[in-house]
Amino acid sequence: MFVLPDLPYGYGDLAPTLSDRTMRFHHDKHHGAYVKTTNELLGPHVTADSLEEVVREAARGDEHRKLFNNAAQAWNHAFFWAVMTPRHDEPRGELASAIAAAFEDLNGLKSKFVEEGAGHFGSGWVWLVTDEAGVLYVRSTHDADDTLTKAGMTPLLVCDLWEHAYYLDHQNDRKGFLEAWFDALPNWTFAGSQFGAAQGDGALWRYPAPDLRQPLRRAG
Ligand SMILES: [Fe+2]
């Protein structure tokens, strides 16, 4: 079965942008429910090597929509925790050069990221992604949709656009939330590692492998 990964920092460490209360609800209740439902849908006799494999296989047919939604949300949330840090960070090296090439500077990227996320209708996610050539793009996806199912697209950062991510702290001000989030919380060291891995230098981030003492069948 798949585990709910711990946060890589304390519940209150991302305040004031994301409060202790928001993080406890978001991680323990929302993320926890997606992981629990994924395990229930997969059942006790299933085998799958990774959550990435479950998401990609479930995405192949509408009959697996509920599994896709829960497995993708489990993955997206774990990735969201990984792309944040309570320590101020800045892009460096090749990632900084790629940001300059695509957006002129970090402020240009921030404007694009906030515009895309604030303008996204309904729930979803806003991503900074790279293609195989190292060109950066800002994209948003609806509901549970993610980047695992999109060829040639590697995520570097993501921010949650579901109201549960920000409503307790920012009410309906999604734009204000995104501006504060971009200034304070991105883990650029992590994003740089993903950028390098997309070019073949190192390994991409992966969801924790399932506990195979309780084998899972393939989602298909
Ligand atoms: Fe969320």
Side-chain angles (χ1 to χ4, degrees), residues 4 26 28 54 83 174:
L4 172 65
H26 202 174
D28 297 2
V54 171
V83 306
R174 183 191 283 180

mmCIF file of all heavy atoms in Angstrom, residues 4 26 28 54 83 174:
data_model
loop_
_atom_site.group_PDB
_atom_site.id
_atom_site.type_symbol
_atom_site.label_atom_id
_atom_site.label_comp_id
_atom_site.label_asym_id
_atom_site.label_seq_id
_atom_site.Cartn_x
_atom_site.Cartn_y
_atom_site.Cartn_z
ATOM 1 N N LEU A 4 1.229 7.865 3.298
ATOM 2 C CA LEU A 4 1.138 9.326 3.279
ATOM 3 C C LEU A 4 2.491 9.855 3.750
ATOM 4 O O LEU A 4 2.843 9.701 4.924
ATOM 5 C CB LEU A 4 0.028 9.790 4.223
ATOM 6 C CG LEU A 4 -0.069 11.308 4.458
ATOM 7 C CD1 LEU A 4 -0.434 12.032 3.171
ATOM 8 C CD2 LEU A 4 -1.089 11.607 5.557
ATOM 9 N N HIS A 26 -4.744 20.277 5.409
ATOM 10 C CA HIS A 26 -4.396 19.968 4.019
ATOM 11 C C HIS A 26 -3.632 18.643 3.926
ATOM 12 O O HIS A 26 -3.958 17.777 3.102
ATOM 13 C CB HIS A 26 -3.563 21.123 3.451
ATOM 14 C CG HIS A 26 -3.574 21.208 1.960
ATOM 15 N ND1 HIS A 26 -3.000 22.235 1.269
ATOM 16 C CD2 HIS A 26 -4.098 20.375 1.020
ATOM 17 C CE1 HIS A 26 -3.170 22.033 -0.025
ATOM 18 N NE2 HIS A 26 -3.832 20.907 -0.202
ATOM 19 N N ASP A 28 -3.010 16.252 6.558
ATOM 20 C CA ASP A 28 -3.544 15.090 7.277
ATOM 21 C C ASP A 28 -4.908 14.662 6.739
ATOM 22 O O ASP A 28 -5.172 13.459 6.593
ATOM 23 C CB ASP A 28 -3.690 15.408 8.768
ATOM 24 C CG ASP A 28 -2.351 15.705 9.438
ATOM 25 O OD1 ASP A 28 -1.319 15.708 8.742
ATOM 26 O OD2 ASP A 28 -2.350 15.951 10.659
ATOM 27 N N VAL A 54 0.733 3.818 -11.390
ATOM 28 C CA VAL A 54 -0.717 3.771 -11.158
ATOM 29 C C VAL A 54 -1.402 4.945 -11.856
ATOM 30 O O VAL A 54 -2.414 4.777 -12.544
ATOM 31 C CB VAL A 54 -1.027 3.797 -9.647
ATOM 32 C CG1 VAL A 54 -2.528 3.960 -9.406
ATOM 33 C CG2 VAL A 54 -0.522 2.516 -8.974
ATOM 34 N N VAL A 83 8.116 20.900 -3.100
ATOM 35 C CA VAL A 83 8.607 22.100 -3.799
ATOM 36 C C VAL A 83 8.611 23.333 -2.900
ATOM 37 O O VAL A 83 8.941 24.427 -3.365
ATOM 38 C CB VAL A 83 7.794 22.423 -5.080
ATOM 39 C CG1 VAL A 83 7.731 21.214 -6.002
ATOM 40 C CG2 VAL A 83 6.408 22.947 -4.760
ATOM 41 N N ARG A 174 -7.131 34.446 -4.213
ATOM 42 C CA ARG A 174 -6.179 33.492 -4.786
ATOM 43 C C ARG A 174 -4.946 34.219 -5.333
ATOM 44 O O ARG A 174 -3.825 33.732 -5.200
ATOM 45 C CB ARG A 174 -6.844 32.664 -5.889
ATOM 46 C CG ARG A 174 -5.910 31.611 -6.463
ATOM 47 C CD ARG A 174 -6.455 30.984 -7.722
ATOM 48 N NE ARG A 174 -7.507 30.011 -7.468
ATOM 49 C CZ ARG A 174 -8.119 29.335 -8.449
ATOM 50 N NH1 ARG A 174 -7.781 29.540 -9.706
ATOM 51 N NH2 ARG A 174 -9.068 28.465 -8.155
#
